[in-house]
Amino acid sequence: MSSQGVEPERVRMFQQEISTLKNKLCQQEREMVEANRAWREKLEQAEIRKREETKELQKAGVTFKVDNRLPNLVNLNEDPQLSEMLLYMIKEGRTTVGKLKPDSSHDIQLTGTLIADRHCVISNVNNTVSIIPMDNAKTFVNGNLISESTVLHHGDRVILGGDHYFRFNHPAEVQSGKRVSCWTGAGDGQKDFEFAKNELLAAQRAMLEAEIEEAHLKAKQEMMQGIQMAKEVAQKELSDQKVLYENRIQALERELNEENERKLQQEMDQQRVASQMAELKMAKLELEKEVDSQKRRLRLHMETQAMEEQRVCQAKIVEALEAEKRKISKELEEIQKKRALREKQTSRSDSPQWDAMKLSLMIEEANKISVKLKKHTLFSRHESSETENTQQGGIQVRVQNTKLGISTFWSLDKFQNNMAAMRELEQGDSTSKDDDVFYDPDDEWEQDISASSASTSSFSRRRSRSLLKTKRISGRLYEIRVHPIQSLTNSSHSAGLMCGAVRPPSNHTSTTEPAVPRICKDLIGRSVSRLGSCSETEETLADRLMSDLNLVYTAVQTISDLYEGLDDDSQDSVFACSVAAQTELIKATTALETAVLVTMQWLASVTPSSSLLYTIAEELKSQVKKMGGFFQMLIQGCESEITSMVKEARRKSSRCLDSAILALAELAVVTGMPLSVMVVGSQATGK
């Protein structure tokens, strides 16, 4: 019973083991199938990669399987061990040759700077091989440079780009016996690298010799032609010179005859003059005796008069010097007070010290910016000798306008502030204008007599008088300097009656007093008349502003014309001599003040709803401001009697008026304000 119980158990175990082995066998069979499939795929990929690598090697000249029926190119090298190591098969059809590149598709790929991207094409049609070079690709066959299709034969030497040497092999020609092989010994010798190189050098040498011979013959022909032409020109010049010399000799003979006749006439004239000179000498002696007697009488009279006048003059000089002494004493006390105040302020606050190096660099930078912007302005350092200048120890910056021939002085703080504006202007992002940086109406400009470009004619009597006025001379010393000799009886009476008499400089002349009330009367009449006419025709802000600007420019024209017509001998400025100039000055000042008020009122009523409206408003404000600055420039030029400033102010005022009227008209159009165009140009430029 135990044996029967054991047997089924063993049978069951055996069956389980058999089923397990069957499962393992099936799994191993599946793994074998998968392994065989993977090996077949890897083998196929390896075959594909092998074929691709074989093609790439064939392009580089490495061939594993040689077809003896196809023509080929074998390399030649100066090292015999490297010769015939690369073999390029020429297939049926077209074989392209070019530079080796990653994406190149040429059949034969070569390296080198002389190899073109598409160098040549080798055609194999019916066992006839021909090579076709591309443009600008050097290709040599048997040492000769080819430019068109050339048929290759067995044993020909092919050189591509001058660096790659090949020998062409054509098995079909060798078998047919059409061309003797280079290796049979029946040719001209072995066609190796040295043979191909010498063949190329010989061909190039022959070509170069032919070109040299041709150039030599051409130069010889040109030289012979030049010699012949020079010979003809020389013969023509010689014949012309001969005729010229003959004419010159005849003219000299005529001149010699005329000179002889003139000498005879001069000798006769000299004899006649000698007799007249003797007579004149006798008359001269008699006149000299009479003049000497008159001089003695006149000298006695003048000495008597001079002694009297010298006594009077000395008394006046002593009186004037005493007054000048008192004046200088007062000024000295004021200077001392200012100096003490400056020292006190310096001790309280530490102001930045200006060293010479920093100032020199800033002046050099300012001059470069002026030259770049073409402003005709020159900056230089100036150490003031006057004691009243208390800023920065007497150091200033001199500003010279070389175009107008004028100059002024800036303090160091003002120069530093303007330098920042100049740098912004140079960079192109400045909101200020050119004239605001390089010309300030508040500056005191004066004639720059040190300018090398100033002509001597511009330094007239009027200019010399204005320079004399700017000196520190009081009225009494000025009168004594102009009239050092003047009698007591007629000094006060004749000075007021004589035309062109010199008067001491003063701030108010006799012509100003009766003119000012009349001018004020005219201005009041104009204002009242405008108030009466406002009910008939309503005058807008634009009309009023345009009228005021025209009045300012009319005053500029009138004052500049009066200045040009002023006599050089006049001792007073145009405003002191001319009532018309005073009238226009006051009218223009009033008109400018009204124009500023009208502009502010107009712009205050306009809301800048867009960038265009804001730009036009800013432009109008800038032009009105410039108009006032140029009028200040005109006043200073007339007062200082600087003609260049007067002309420049008139020219810039004309341009500023055009720009202001244009901005005014644009603003009137944008804001919808009525504008009477009848005023434009009626009194100004007419543009």
Side-chain angles (χ1 to χ4, degrees):
M1 184 172 178
S2 59
S3 60
Q4 292 178 352
V6 172
E7 289 298 331
E9 184 69 23
R10 292 183 63 185
V11 170
R12 191 167 46 253
M13 290 176 60
F14 287 152
Q15 289 177 351
Q16 291 178 355
E17 185 176 356
I18 289 170
S19 62
T20 302
L21 291 175
K22 286 182 179 180
N23 293 333
K24 289 183 178 180
L25 181 61
C26 292
Q27 184 177 359
Q28 287 181 356
E29 287 179 354
R30 286 195 299 272
E31 290 178 357
M32 288 294 294
V33 171
E34 292 293 334
N36 290 333
R37 185 183 301 109
W39 277 108
R40 281 196 299 271
E41 291 177 355
K42 290 180 180 179
L43 183 62
E44 291 176 357
Q45 292 177 359
E47 289 294 334
I48 294 172
R49 188 161 51 252
K50 180 179 179 181
R51 287 194 295 271
E52 292 177 353
E53 290 177 355
T54 302
K55 289 182 180 179
E56 293 296 329
L57 291 174
Q58 286 179 355
K59 292 180 181 180
V62 179
T63 304
F64 296 98
K65 184 177 181 181
V66 179
D67 191 351
N68 294 328
R69 295 172 299 175
L70 295 177
N72 56 73
L73 290 173
V74 63
N75 75 306
L76 299 176
N77 196 288
E78 57 183 350
D79 188 356
Q81 294 182 358
L82 298 178
S83 293
E84 303 181 8
M85 297 298 294
L86 301 177
L87 183 67
Y88 299 92
M89 305 303 297
I90 309 301
K91 62 183 180 179
E92 288 287 340
R94 292 167 59 87
T95 301
T96 60
V97 181
K99 180 172 285 189
L100 175 61
K101 288 185 177 180
D103 56 349
S104 177
S105 61
H106 296 299
D107 299 319
I108 299 175
Q109 299 180 8
L110 303 174
T111 60
T113 57
L114 299 178
I115 298 297
D117 294 337
R118 296 179 69 253
H119 199 88
C120 64
V121 176
I122 302 175
S123 175
N124 184 6
V125 180
N126 298 328
N127 287 332
T128 300
V129 181
S130 60
I131 184 169
I132 305 170
M134 299 290 103
D135 295 338
N136 299 325
K138 292 186 177 181
T139 304
F140 302 88
V141 175
N142 296 332
N144 298 318
L145 179 66
I146 62 173
S147 60
E148 57 185 11
S149 178
T150 303
V151 178
L152 298 178
H153 299 284
H154 181 73
D156 287 344
R157 279 72 58 199
V158 179
I159 302 174
L160 302 179
D163 294 335
H164 296 272
Y165 290 73
F166 300 97
R167 186 183 66 249
F168 176 69
N169 296 325
H170 202 324
E173 285 188 354
V174 175
Q175 293 175 2
S176 62
K178 292 182 180 180
R179 191 175 179 90
V180 179
S181 174
C182 62
W183 303 105
T184 58
D188 298 330
Q190 184 176 354
K191 306 301 188 296
D192 56 359
F193 176 81
E194 290 297 330
F195 181 84
K197 183 178 180 181
N198 294 332
E199 185 180 41
L200 175 62
L201 293 176
Q204 291 183 346
R205 188 182 301 110
M207 184 184 302
L208 183 61
E209 290 177 354
E211 291 178 355
I212 292 173
E213 183 66 23
E214 183 180 358
H216 181 69
L217 293 175
K218 186 176 180 181
K220 187 174 181 181
Q221 292 176 358
E222 292 179 353
M223 184 176 64
M224 292 299 296
Q225 292 177 358
I227 292 173
Q228 185 65 25
M229 291 178 62
K231 183 177 179 182
E232 294 176 357
V233 171
Q235 288 179 355
K236 184 177 180 181
E237 289 181 353
L238 287 175
S239 60
D240 294 342
Q241 261 186 354
K242 181 179 179 182
V243 175
L244 183 62
Y245 287 157
E246 290 177 352
N247 295 334
R248 183 62 178 165
I249 290 172
Q250 294 177 2
L252 290 175
E253 289 178 353
R254 289 193 298 269
E255 290 180 0
L256 183 60
N257 295 332
E258 294 176 358
E259 186 67 23
N260 292 332
E261 294 177 357
R262 190 162 48 251
K263 283 184 178 180
L264 294 175
Q265 185 66 28
Q266 285 180 356
E267 291 176 357
M268 295 174 63
D269 293 340
Q270 287 177 359
Q271 293 176 0
R272 187 167 55 254
V273 169
S275 61
Q276 292 179 357
M277 286 293 293
E279 296 175 358
L280 290 174
K281 284 181 180 180
M282 296 298 295
K284 180 182 177 183
L285 292 175
E286 295 178 357
L287 288 174
E288 286 178 353
K289 292 178 181 180
E290 185 177 357
V291 168
D292 289 338
S293 61
Q294 293 289 341
K295 281 184 178 179
R296 285 192 294 271
R297 289 194 297 269
L298 184 59
R299 189 180 300 113
L300 292 174
H301 177 72
M302 291 181 64
E303 287 176 357
T304 304
Q305 187 178 2
M307 290 177 63
E308 181 67 22
E309 291 176 350
Q310 186 177 5
R311 184 180 62 80
V312 176
C313 183
Q314 287 177 354
K316 294 177 69 176
I317 289 175
V318 170
E319 182 183 356
L321 288 176
E322 288 295 332
E324 189 69 18
K325 181 180 178 181
R326 291 191 296 270
K327 183 179 178 181
I328 291 175
S329 299
K330 292 181 181 179
E331 291 180 355
L332 184 59
E333 292 177 0
E334 293 178 359
I335 290 171
Q336 291 175 354
K337 291 180 181 178
K338 290 181 180 179
R339 180 177 295 177
L341 181 61
R342 185 192 64 183
E343 292 177 356
K344 186 181 295 183
Q345 291 176 353
T346 304
S347 61
R348 292 179 180 176
S349 60
D350 296 333
S351 60
Q353 297 296 326
W354 289 76
D355 55 353
M357 180 63 70
K358 177 182 177 182
L359 183 58
S360 300
L361 292 175
M362 290 181 67
I363 290 175
E364 183 179 358
E365 181 183 1
N367 287 326
K368 288 182 179 179
I369 295 175
S370 175
V371 172
K372 183 178 180 181
L373 299 179
K374 298 179 180 179
K375 293 301 175 183
H376 308 286
T377 305
L378 181 64
F379 301 90
S380 60
R381 176 174 174 171
H382 177 75
E383 295 185 2
S384 177
S385 60
E386 298 181 0
T387 58
E388 63 264 22
N389 187 5
T390 60
Q391 294 184 356
Q392 303 296 338
I395 299 177
Q396 293 177 316
V397 176
R398 186 180 185 184
V399 185
Q400 295 173 273
N401 192 320
T402 57
K403 181 179 179 182
L404 302 181
I406 57 178
S407 63
T408 187
F409 296 95
W410 286 354
S411 64
L412 296 183
D413 294 336
K414 183 173 183 178
F415 177 65
Q416 187 176 16
N417 294 334
N418 287 345
M419 271 301 301
M422 290 181 196
R423 293 190 184 103
E424 293 178 359
L425 190 62
E426 182 187 17
Q427 296 173 1
D429 56 353
S430 175
T431 57
S432 63
K433 302 298 181 181
D434 301 357
D435 295 323
D436 297 337
V437 178
F438 292 92
Y439 172 77
D440 189 355
D442 295 332
D443 290 336
E444 291 295 333
W445 295 89
E446 61 181 12
Q447 187 77 28
D448 186 12
I449 60 175
S450 63
S452 59
S453 61
S455 61
T456 56
S457 61
S458 63
F459 199 74
S460 59
R461 283 178 290 176
R462 195 199 315 170
R463 182 66 198 128
S464 62
R465 190 196 71 256
S466 65
L467 289 176
L468 185 60
K469 286 183 180 181
T470 58
K471 303 299 181 181
R472 297 174 52 83
I473 300 175
S474 64
R476 295 178 182 178
L477 286 178
Y478 182 83
E479 181 180 357
I480 295 171
R481 184 167 182 170
V482 176
H483 296 287
I485 301 175
Q486 194 175 37
S487 62
L488 285 174
T489 57
N490 58 2
S491 61
S492 60
H493 181 69
S494 61
L497 296 178
M498 292 177 59
C499 179
V502 182
R503 299 175 183 175
S506 61
N507 297 329
H508 303 283
T509 61
S510 60
T511 58
T512 306
E513 297 176 357
V516 172
R518 185 170 57 84
I519 296 171
C520 295
K521 180 181 177 182
D522 293 340
L523 291 175
I524 294 173
R526 284 181 52 206
S527 301
V528 172
S529 63
R530 179 174 295 177
L531 183 62
S533 61
C534 67
S535 59
E536 300 176 0
T537 57
E538 183 179 358
E539 185 180 26
T540 62
L541 294 177
D543 293 336
R544 181 61 188 276
L545 180 57
M546 185 173 292
S547 176
D548 292 333
L549 293 177
N550 282 327
L551 282 176
V552 174
Y553 183 71
T554 303
V556 171
Q557 285 183 312
T558 305
I559 294 173
S560 60
D561 291 339
L562 291 173
Y563 175 82
E564 291 295 333
L566 192 63
D567 188 7
D568 288 343
D569 294 331
S570 177
Q571 298 299 324
D572 295 319
S573 66
V574 65
F575 300 113
C577 295
S578 175
V579 179
Q582 298 175 15
T583 305
E584 295 297 331
L585 178 62
I586 297 177
K587 287 182 179 179
T589 304
T590 307
L592 269 174
E593 185 177 4
T594 307
V596 172
L597 295 176
V598 170
T599 303
M600 294 173 60
Q601 182 181 358
W602 192 3
L603 297 183
S605 63
V606 174
T607 302
S609 58
S610 63
S611 59
L612 175 61
L613 185 58
Y614 178 77
T615 303
I616 296 174
E618 290 297 323
E619 177 67 17
L620 179 60
K621 187 190 302 181
S622 174
Q623 295 302 328
V624 173
K625 180 180 177 182
K626 280 187 175 183
M627 201 69 179
F630 295 147
F631 192 69
Q632 287 180 290
M633 183 178 180
L634 175 73
I635 296 174
Q636 186 177 351
C638 292
E639 283 291 326
S640 302
E641 297 183 353
I642 304 175
T643 306
S644 58
M645 286 186 68
V646 176
K647 293 181 178 179
E648 185 71 7
R650 180 169 181 170
R651 184 181 66 83
K652 288 189 174 182
S653 297
S654 175
R655 294 171 55 185
C656 183
L657 178 64
D658 295 338
S659 301
I661 291 176
L662 180 60
L664 188 150
E666 290 178 352
L667 185 60
V669 171
V670 173
T671 57
M673 179 173 291
L675 175 63
S676 176
V677 298
M678 296 299 292
V679 187
V680 181
S682 61
Q683 296 177 347
T685 59
K687 298 180 181 179

